[in-house]
Every structure is written in structure tokens, then in C-alpha cells.
Amino acid sequence: MPSGFAIFNIDGIHLFLPKAEENIWANFVKDYMTHRVIWLKEFKTFKNKSNAFNHTGINSELAQMIKKWHLPGQLLAFGKREHKTIIEQKLKISCLFNEAVMEVMWGIKHLMKCLVPQEKSELPMEELLLFPYGLKTVLNRHGFNVKPEMVRALFYLILKMKLYMMILNR
């Protein structure tokens, strides 16, 4: 599980294009593709990340980081509806949470090591195996019914191939 919170700058037009939730995933397939869409502004680790957001509000350190990077008129995109609600209520900043944002969150998780090199913790396997909505939609449109277990099998096959290659290169 990630050990902190990151603030990214994103070319926001991608979130508002027609069918954004179906297309945005393609910007996160490979690390070199993301740099034209999203840039890390700041990453901060928290000893107890669960205390950063709670029912009474937001941790002052995280609030300060958000205020530092937020510009008037900007929308902040959040991967959790409850975080969006807290920020809007406590910091009075307009936020966005929708399917397109969730696709961006998938992309960030998918390329965490590239986008946030300071992050040392690993994502749980169930997070790594999530299938982007947009890719699933495109495949279904072309008659491919890809099930999550198929993605899991492909992922394990790739891991085995990488391990095999490491052994051969010794």
C-alpha cells in the first residue's frame, strides 16, 4: 500500500474529452507515454496514512501540501469520493471524482515506480491486477470478453518469464 500522498499536475483536458473514461487509460500503458499527460509535483510520506483523512477533517500537513499546489479555478481530482467530500467541505476547494479520474488513478497505480520514484512500498496484488475500464470497454466492443482471471493469468505468466530471463542472464 502506498506510504503517502502525491500531488500531480495533469493535462486536464484529457478528463473532459468525449468518452474520456474509455480513452485515458492509453496514456498510462508505458511510462514514457505518461510524461505528456501527468507530472509529479510533490510526494510526502506519512507515518500513519490513515490519520491523514478522517471523519473530522484532514491532517494539517496534507492540507498545507494541497494548498501549496492548488491554483484558483483549478479542480482537484481525487481517487476516493470521501477524500473529495472532505477537501470540498474543509478546504473549500472544488474537486472532481468520476470514471475518468478513476482511470487516471489506475494509471498512477500501474506506473507508481516511474511516476513516484520516492515511493518504496509495493501495491497489493489485487491493486496491480485491476483492469482499466477503458481497455475493457474497447476489448468488449471488438468482441473480446476479457475476465479478471485472464488478466491475472497473463500477469503471472509475465512474472515467470521475467524470473526465467533473470536466471538465464546470471
Side-chain angles (χ1 to χ4, degrees), residues 144-159:
F144 296 98
N145 184 13
V146 180
K147 294 178 174 69
E149 54 272 10
M150 294 167 74
V151 174
R152 231 176 264 113
L154 180 60
F155 182 76
Y156 286 122
L157 179 62
I158 291 169
L159 281 178

Side-chain angles (χ1 to χ4, degrees), residues 87-106:
I87 295 297
E88 287 179 331
Q89 290 174 352
K90 300 298 181 181
L91 300 182
K92 307 294 185 223
I93 294 174
S94 296
C95 300
L96 183 64
F97 174 84
N98 61 22
E99 290 298 322
V101 170
M102 294 310 297
E103 291 294 284
V104 170
M105 295 303 162
W106 171 85

Side-chain angles (χ1 to χ4, degrees), residues 98-129:
N98 61 22
E99 290 298 322
V101 170
M102 294 310 297
E103 291 294 284
V104 170
M105 295 303 162
W106 171 85
I108 291 170
K109 290 175 184 176
H110 176 67
L111 295 173
M112 180 76 74
K113 295 293 182 193
C114 161
L115 294 172
V116 187
Q118 308 91 308
E119 177 59 78
K120 300 302 178 206
S121 62
E122 296 290 331
L123 286 171
M125 187 61 70
E126 57 272 5
E127 292 276 338
L128 289 172
L129 297 177

Side-chain angles (χ1 to χ4, degrees), residues 53-54 78-88 97:
F53 284 99
N54 57 47
F78 281 91
K80 292 188 178 179
R81 185 179 309 279
E82 57 270 20
H83 293 173
K84 172 195 177 290
T85 302
I86 291 169
I87 295 297
E88 287 179 331
F97 174 84

Side-chain angles (χ1 to χ4, degrees), residues 33-96:
M33 299 168 77
T34 62
H35 300 295
R36 58 194 169 132
V37 178
I38 192 168
W39 310 267
L40 178 67
K41 299 305 263 178
E42 185 174 350
F43 174 74
K44 190 173 291 251
T45 57
F46 286 83
K47 288 180 184 153
N48 187 349
K49 199 174 125 182
S50 63
N51 288 338
F53 284 99
N54 57 47
H55 65 282
T56 61
I58 181 172
N59 170 299
S60 62
E61 193 176 1
L62 181 57
Q64 186 177 21
M65 184 172 98
I66 290 169
K67 289 177 185 177
K68 173 182 171 183
W69 292 107
H70 177 258
L71 297 174
Q74 278 185 333
L75 283 174
L76 291 183
F78 281 91
K80 292 188 178 179
R81 185 179 309 279
E82 57 270 20
H83 293 173
K84 172 195 177 290
T85 302
I86 291 169
I87 295 297
E88 287 179 331
Q89 290 174 352
K90 300 298 181 181
L91 300 182
K92 307 294 185 223
I93 294 174
S94 296
C95 300
L96 183 64

